[in-house]
Amino acid sequence: MDPFREYQDYVMAHRLRVALDFFPGQLYTLSEYATLRLRRSELLQKLVRCQGDSALLSRIEQISDQINYGFWSNPGVLSAFLKRLHPAPPPLLQSPEGFEELLTPNERRRLAEPGLAGRYYLGWLRLPALLDEPLRFELARQEQEVLAERLGLFLDDFHKVAGSG
């Protein structure tokens, strides 16, 4: 996966968790996130060599939680998230436009079309329900990839002018 897209997904998961008061943890800068992501990869390689060291596994899980690793693409993580929601979903999960309230005005302007980011991120939430239907699950994953290509990078962090902070 593109590391910038991965960071954008992390930020969106963090914003969603903040909006729902779901213990989001610290919001990392791109460089802090990259450092943690590299550390996680190093630990995974070491875990393979050490064949199941529980301390390593615990540290990998801790970093995964810190960076929301797999939040959007892992049906198990999404399923656990969805179980924590109130039966009446909040407005930001009811429509693509509602979800895009998590974006800044500049980020919304960067989208190729209104609702695109909302469709992309809300589209991931349907995956857990499709786990028992492999063909529909795979089709949904392919649809997500198409949306990802159209979405591009919209975060303000990726569009700062040098010297602007």
Side-chain angles (χ1 to χ4, degrees):
M1 173 182 251
D2 173 2
F4 295 112
R5 162 112 30 230
E6 186 177 310
Y7 179 72
Q8 182 167 278
D9 289 349
Y10 154 73
V11 169
M12 294 311 301
H14 186 274
R15 289 179 185 177
L16 177 62
R17 291 174 68 187
V18 166
L20 299 176
D21 200 24
F22 278 14
F23 311 104
Q26 177 181 343
L27 178 61
Y28 295 105
T29 64
L30 178 57
S31 62
E32 291 169 332
Y33 178 89
T35 300
L36 285 168
R37 183 66 172 86
L38 288 171
R39 181 67 180 140
R40 182 183 181 279
S41 294
E42 291 167 358
L43 291 173
L44 281 170
Q45 290 173 1
K46 191 173 180 181
L47 181 67
V48 169
R49 288 191 305 271
C50 294
Q51 298 182 350
D53 181 322
S54 61
L56 280 175
L57 186 56
S58 177
R59 181 65 182 130
I60 291 166
E61 289 173 352
Q62 179 187 20
I63 292 172
S64 296
D65 288 344
Q66 286 175 285
I67 63 174
N68 293 318
Y69 188 78
F71 180 85
W72 298 108
S73 59
N74 182 326
V77 171
L78 279 176
S79 183
F81 168 77
L82 292 170
K83 285 178 184 173
R84 294 179 60 201
L85 291 176
H86 187 275
L92 63 100
L93 295 180
Q94 292 180 15
S95 72
E97 294 76 16
F99 185 88
E100 288 180 4
E101 291 298 314
L102 296 174
L103 279 62
T104 69
N106 284 333
E107 290 169 343
R108 284 193 291 277
R109 280 191 287 276
R110 286 188 197 102
L111 299 176
E113 61 191 76
L116 183 58
R119 285 196 315 278
Y120 173 72
Y121 288 107
L122 293 178
W124 288 111
L125 300 180
R126 66 187 165 152
L127 291 182
L130 299 176
L131 280 174
D132 293 333
E133 302 179 54
L135 294 177
R136 289 186 62 209
F137 181 86
E138 184 57 31
L139 181 60
R141 295 269 316 185
Q142 290 172 0
E143 290 170 4
Q144 288 304 110
E145 291 304 315
V146 170
L147 286 173
E149 289 300 317
R150 291 178 50 213
L151 184 59
L153 298 175
F154 58 81
L155 285 184
D156 289 338
D157 288 350
F158 299 135
H159 298 275
K160 289 181 179 175
V161 177
S164 69

